[in-house]
Amino acid sequence: MTAALVWVVAALAAVFLLLLVAIVARRWLADRRGAADGAVRPGVEATLVDYLATEEDRAPPPPRTVAERRVLREVSLATIGELRGRERERLVTLAERSGIIAEAEAELRSRRLLRRRAGAEALRQFHSEASAAALSAALADPDLETSLSCAVALAELDDSAPIAAVLERADEACEERPGAAAAILVALGRRHPEALGEALDSERSTGLRRLAAAIAGELRLAEHAEALRAALEDPDDELVARAARGLGMIGDAAALERLLELAAAEDRAWFVRLAATGALGEIGDERALAPLERELQEGAWPAQAKAARALRSLGGRGEAVLRQALGSPREAVREHARVALED
Amino acid sequence: MDVYIAAVTAYFVAFALFHGWLLVMAAVETRRHASRLQAANLQQTIRSPLTPPISVLVPAYNEELGITDSVRSLLALEYPRFEIVVVSDGSSDATIERLVDAFELERVRRPTPPFLEHEPIRAVYAPRGRLNLLVLEKDNGGKADALNAAINFARYPLICAIDADSVLEQDALVKAAMPFVDDPVRTVATGGLVKVANGCRVERGRVVETGLPRTALPMFQVVEYLRAFFGARTGWSAVNGLLLVSGAFGLFRKEAVIAAGGYSTKTVGEDMELVVRLHRSRRDQGRAGRVVYVPDPVCWTEAPESTRVLRRQRRRWQRGSAEVLIAHLRMLGNPRYGTVGMLAMPALLLFELLGPVVELSGYAVALLALLSGTIEAEVFLLFLAVSVLCGLTLSFGAIAIEDASFGRYPGWNQLGRIMLFAVLENAGYRQLGLLWRLEGFWQLVRRGEWGAMERTGLGGSEPEAILGDGVGLR
């Protein structure tokens, strides 16, 4: 047993020492790098602030050292999310002129996964028009993270040429990474709203159409109301519910008849009826009074609450229904009506 | 006797190998996460129209001293849309009066939603202005009961349960919500990093200066927290086997919590029990569910400074985890429950619940064998060395991950102190912890309190359990 114990101790001791050396070495290297960065950081930050504050077209001199370039990239990435309009454009121009964009593009071609991800992430933040070709090429990256970051970056560009490929990528990813696919559609919806119409096309996967319906509503893209109305006819309950909510947010009165049917459709999922009820309230047509009153009287708790709020938003006649409900024999109905009237 | 010592040594090695594997998983996961955590990414999450709004639930029991600062600090959190729901769980002090005065609350009538059962609501208060704050006053029913009441009144699809005396960093909600944005269908819960606040300067509900505790007992707990959060939890999260989201700070999908029946009031480990039940109910419904640990959002909490409080805490944790295992025994080794059933629950049994028994009995048998001359001193020392090195390797592995990914302990002085205490804990503290956990287990067996409810109220400043943290053989 002694020999076995010696082996175990030796193995554990070796791992422990390795970890100890790794921690100390990494910290030493990080401190050295931190000191180098710290020495140039105030200068880089001051230069950047001056550049962004002035209207002059003259860019500051490019970084002279590796540390300066690294700090400039780090500060730019930390700042760019906060900037808008002209300031943002100027920072992107600076990143292009100082070689940061080119460096990130080169990283996209690296064999190291983390470098590729870092490059894609940087380009996603800057979304420089100059990087369109590199981003398009990297859409086919075998790493999903890298490829999706590139797709978001492309969606943010003015160039509409890569949109078809970007949508394709979003469609492929929407099952495994719905959040990333949604980020692509949000970017498209803001920059190229027409592309959401293609995403809502019945040829696309149900997953992508669900996301597109939600985003078209959230972004209040009225030009897609027709596509959303068409989605109300889909057999997929989730898609129908999202389309109904979207139409409510857009305030599409043309969808009223179908929403009235859906609000009363006993054969559809409860969340479809709930979404249709809410949408009726948001659109604010008085034809919604009857189904909303029915939900208030007969629905489950969340439907009652939503119906009461919707009735309140309908104004005078809705409020009259709520006041009438104050005399209901059912306590929950009375309470919902009272809360809606008081809010 | 030497057979038993050999068996315990084999157990140590199995423990080290298993938790070493978790550390590797944790390292990969932490690196992946850290690479995504750029300021601009957080901004995008904040601006996205699909970022779900959150109801922050704050159960409070006799918290008159700190409740207004806590709520003020929560109201200043950086998140696009959220509300605070404070529940005074039968407080006998001026918790409610302080809140009413500070936030100009007025009593309102609100119907009590029927989703989860809880003790009766006495009153509901809302601000006269536009603050997103709701205060509930209810009969005392314990923390789990208070959280169930808060869930009923929560308006938003995500709920964040925190302790009234916890302090969240400003961007903690955004970071914790990111998995819900990334994968809104499968993610059912996320937990964030909980750090020891002892040694930090806290002003008006905010940590204004970070630092390490000045005394030994909380320093040992800093090492334990590091090992728990950067080792085991991140590793378990990577393989979707996480059994615990800390009660001090956890984010949940409200609909999933309601469908699972809310917090259980019949266990002292309600936070762990909920997570295990979420795993179970999702699998039973044939739906995929992920419980994610995000190794970055920071929640500061005060660690016990006295052995008396620490002992009580550790006994309670051990009881809580035993109760959870018993309540969900069906999941143990059951392939229907995937990683949770086949890996996480067996690990809970083998390493967390049986760990203190095996390790302490190993020390006792080895000592007896040495004294009776059955084994030589060399074997005895080697046996102890295995035990100590197992703990050291796991601690230093967790320190390495933290330092490489976030480096929140700047300066050689802080790093050195943490490493020093990771070594020193082997000289008594670790063994004491094992003894307390054994006591907790024994309490449960002796009193036959399987599943009995303990109404302790809330209060106190104890952080919630660090289970599945590889502390059994620290």
Side-chain angles (χ1 to χ4, degrees), chain B residues 41-99:
Chain B
N41 252 335
L42 296 183
Q43 285 300 322
Q44 276 174 8
T45 304
I46 289 171
R47 291 199 188 113
S48 169
L50 298 182
T51 299
I54 297 176
S55 296
V56 180
L57 317 181
V58 190
Y61 177 75
N62 289 349
E63 297 279 355
E64 64 176 11
L65 291 180
I67 192 68
T68 53
D69 281 347
S70 291
V71 172
R72 271 202 193 95
S73 137
L74 289 171
L75 285 167
L77 286 175
E78 196 178 350
Y79 198 78
R81 202 145 55 103
F82 69 100
E83 64 167 357
I84 314 285
V85 182
V86 181
V87 188
S88 171
D89 188 49
S91 296
S92 53
D93 67 354
T95 300
I96 287 290
E97 288 77 6
R98 292 281 152 84
L99 286 167

Side-chain angles (χ1 to χ4, degrees), chain A residues 1-2 5-6 8-9 12-13 15-16 19-20 23-24 26-28 31 77-78 81-82 84 114 117 121 124-125 145 175-180 182 186 190 214-215 218-219 301-302 335-336 338-339 342-343, chain B residues 2 5-6 9 13 31-32 36 38-41 43-44 47 49-50 109-115 181-184 186 378-379 382 385-386 389-390 392-393 396-397 399-400 403-404 409-412 415 419:
Chain A
M1 188 162 78
T2 311
L5 279 172
V6 169
V8 173
V9 168
L12 285 168
V15 176
F16 167 64
L19 284 167
L20 183 62
I23 292 169
V24 172
R26 203 215 67 82
R27 176 58 76 94
W28 182 73
D31 277 3
L77 281 171
E82 312 271 342
R84 289 283 170 278
L114 286 178
R117 284 187 183 175
E121 195 55 43
R124 174 184 167 174
Q125 308 303 345
E145 197 84 44
E175 192 57 39
E176 197 178 336
R177 292 288 309 280
V186 168
R190 285 179 173 150
I215 290 161
E218 290 285 348
L219 298 180
W301 176 278
E335 291 290 296
H336 283 298
R338 188 183 49 70
V339 169
E342 283 175 4
D343 273 351
Chain B
D2 49 354
I5 293 168
T9 308
V13 173
R31 195 162 179 191
R32 190 191 68 80
R36 293 200 59 223
Q38 295 182 9
N41 252 335
Q43 285 300 322
Q44 276 174 8
R47 291 199 188 113
L50 298 182
R109 282 176 61 195
R110 285 275 190 283
T112 303
F115 310 123
V181 178
D182 279 347
D183 191 351
R186 283 169 287 239
E378 188 189 8
V379 174
L382 284 168
V386 170
L389 281 167
C390 276
L392 280 179
T393 308
F396 277 68
I399 293 169
D403 196 49
Y409 297 101
W412 288 96
L415 183 67
M419 293 203 284

Side-chain angles (χ1 to χ4, degrees), chain B residues 126-318:
Chain B
R128 293 186 192 102
R130 297 194 64 81
L131 279 181
N132 286 323
L133 173 65
L134 192 71
V135 175
L136 311 176
E137 186 180 16
K138 64 180 276 293
D139 289 352
N140 182 260
K143 181 180 175 181
D145 192 73
L147 282 168
N148 284 340
I151 292 168
N152 271 347
F153 281 86
R155 279 190 297 163
Y156 294 138
L158 295 187
I159 50 169
C160 174
I162 70 160
D163 285 347
D165 54 358
S166 294
V167 177
L168 291 188
E169 286 198 350
Q170 276 226 298
D171 54 6
L173 276 187
V174 187
K175 289 174 180 170
M178 279 176 84
F180 287 99
V181 178
D182 279 347
D183 191 351
V185 180
R186 283 169 287 239
T187 308
V188 289
T190 64
L193 174 64
V194 178
K195 289 184 79 177
V196 172
N198 309 46
C200 299
R201 200 152 60 87
V202 181
E203 283 178 8
R204 299 180 73 79
R206 280 197 189 178
V207 173
V208 292
E209 192 181 317
T210 61
L212 286 173
R214 281 172 282 278
T215 53
L217 206 57
M219 261 314 291
F220 287 130
Q221 292 170 76
V222 168
V223 176
E224 285 180 321
Y225 274 58
L226 264 179
R227 201 169 39 222
F229 286 94
F230 281 99
R233 285 206 196 171
T234 317
W236 280 122
S237 171
V239 296
N240 197 21
L242 192 61
L243 292 184
L244 176 64
V245 165
S246 171
F249 178 43
L251 210 56
F252 299 85
R253 179 190 297 282
K254 185 174 78 174
E255 158 263 319
V257 173
I258 290 174
Y263 282 91
S264 167
T265 53
K266 293 187 168 61
T267 173
V268 291
E270 74 283 336
D271 43 7
M272 184 186 192
E273 202 281 332
L274 175 65
V275 174
V276 174
R277 198 146 33 83
L278 281 173
H279 279 298
R280 185 174 177 170
S281 70
R282 298 292 281 200
R283 289 278 179 171
D284 285 344
Q285 294 162 17
R287 297 168 73 187
R290 289 174 63 223
V291 177
V292 183
Y293 169 68
V294 191
D296 191 38
V298 175
C299 167
W300 296 91
T301 192
E302 199 182 340
E305 295 258 10
S306 75
T307 48
R308 187 181 58 82
V309 178
L310 188 63
R311 179 185 180 197
R312 201 174 61 208
Q313 180 195 65
R314 297 304 155 98
R315 290 196 301 195
R316 189 164 60 83
W317 288 0
Q318 193 72 0

